Amino acid sequence: MRQRWLSKRAFGLHLAVVVWVPACLLAGWWQVNRAFDGNGLSYLYSVEWPIFALLGIWGWWVFIHTDSDHAGAAGQRQLKAAAAEHESEGTEIAPTGSMRQPQDEDEELADYNDRLAALAERGPKTWRNT
Amino acid sequence: MSGIEGALLRYRIMAYIVGVGLLILVFIGVPLQYAAGVPIVAQVVGPIHGFLYIVYLLAALDLARRARFTLLQMAAMIGAGFIPFVAFFIEHRVTIRVRDKLLADESTGGPSGVGSNPQGH
């Protein structure tokens, strides 16, 4: 429970929702005023902004309740570490070794398997380490 | 993989729609309204783009949840709807990233799939 609401990721989410929701409500209020000043288009916009605010709250709630072992940057680091540990135990994860049957492979399939093996070695990726 | 491919497709469709909508609004609608005094394009495209952006946000959040994006990646997806041309660029990177992730999960038996846990707790 502590981990869910007080992790680094959770604080990022709290910060995002604390900025997002008032910003949307302010923009919505501005559009309400413009609508009452006679700008017809603003009636539509003053409906849209509160929906954006609600969407922010919904997203915040959903992501807080996403399994924190896997979610976000920390989760991806954990997965990577677990994969590395798995590999160091000598277990073959990638479709190499005995699972691989070279006589059945054409060139394309061999390339594909090599790519899978390379991806498995690198582990889960984020934009940061590409 | 609990529907990541479907979520990716929905996100990509919405990214293209919203990306094109923003271009129409910024480069046709707004100049017509303020330079030529013809507000009709902005009046029609503006609210439609707003509601489509809501759908885009839903698709983006859904994909981010399923593919377990980091907060920065999510922020990039959300921000892509505000700056012309950026939606296409971000869409491209998101697609590459999700496809790589799907390939990686396939080859390792899907450790980051929903419901599995490499730590065993």
Side-chain angles (χ1 to χ4, degrees):
Chain A
M1 207 60 194
R2 249 181 95 82
Q3 181 63 23
R4 168 154 294 160
W5 294 94
L6 298 178
S7 68
K8 227 168 111 184
R9 172 182 164 81
F11 273 114
L13 286 164
H14 299 331
L15 184 68
V17 81
V18 161
V19 173
W20 177 265
V21 171
C24 289
L25 292 179
L26 270 178
W29 183 243
W30 172 60
Q31 292 294 344
V32 167
N33 285 329
R34 281 183 54 170
F36 286 153
D37 287 344
N39 185 336
L41 203 54
S42 291
Y43 281 103
L44 284 167
Y45 287 140
S46 51
V47 175
E48 284 174 4
W49 280 111
I51 296 178
F52 282 133
L54 284 176
L55 210 57
I57 295 171
W58 175 78
W60 169 74
W61 185 258
V62 165
F63 282 103
I64 285 285
H65 287 85
T66 305
D67 181 2
S68 55
D69 278 350
H70 288 120
Q76 288 183 355
R77 274 197 299 277
Q78 265 185 35
L79 281 175
K80 205 170 178 175
E85 199 180 308
H86 199 61
E87 218 159 87
S88 68
E89 285 164 8
T91 321
E92 286 286 352
I93 304 173
T96 55
S98 62
M99 284 171 68
R100 220 166 145 174
Q101 293 165 322
Q103 66 271 23
D104 294 339
E105 279 183 350
D106 57 21
E107 203 172 304
E108 202 181 345
L109 184 60
D111 281 345
Y112 181 65
N113 279 332
D114 286 338
R115 180 162 158 70
L116 289 184
L119 280 171
E121 258 167 43
R122 272 185 287 160
K125 292 202 305 182
T126 71
W127 289 346
R128 288 177 206 153
N129 60 23
T130 47
Chain B
M1 284 317 297
S2 74
I4 289 190
E5 281 105 342
L8 178 63
L9 183 65
R10 289 193 293 274
Y11 163 75
R12 294 187 70 192
I13 291 170
M14 287 318 297
Y16 273 102
I17 292 175
V18 170
V20 171
L22 188 65
L23 289 186
I24 294 173
L25 194 60
V26 170
F27 292 108
I28 300 175
V30 172
L32 275 183
Q33 179 172 9
Y34 290 104
V38 184
I40 184 68
V41 176
Q43 278 178 0
V44 171
V45 177
I48 293 175
H49 179 261
F51 281 107
L52 287 176
Y53 189 65
I54 291 168
V55 181
Y56 168 78
L57 274 189
L58 284 171
L61 290 180
D62 182 48
L63 178 65
R65 189 174 61 85
R66 288 178 201 265
R68 308 194 178 284
F69 279 22
T70 65
L71 292 184
L72 275 181
Q73 291 163 351
M74 268 193 273
M77 285 209 294
I78 292 167
F82 293 114
I83 312 160
F85 295 111
V86 173
F88 304 114
F89 173 69
I90 296 288
E91 184 275 332
H92 186 63
R93 298 202 61 164
V94 165
T95 304
I96 289 173
R97 180 190 129 62
V98 173
R99 289 207 171 134
D100 276 358
K101 185 183 161 59
L102 283 173
L103 271 183
D105 286 352
E106 233 169 71
S107 67
T108 57
S112 58
V114 176
S116 67
N117 189 328
Q119 261 83 48
H121 57 222

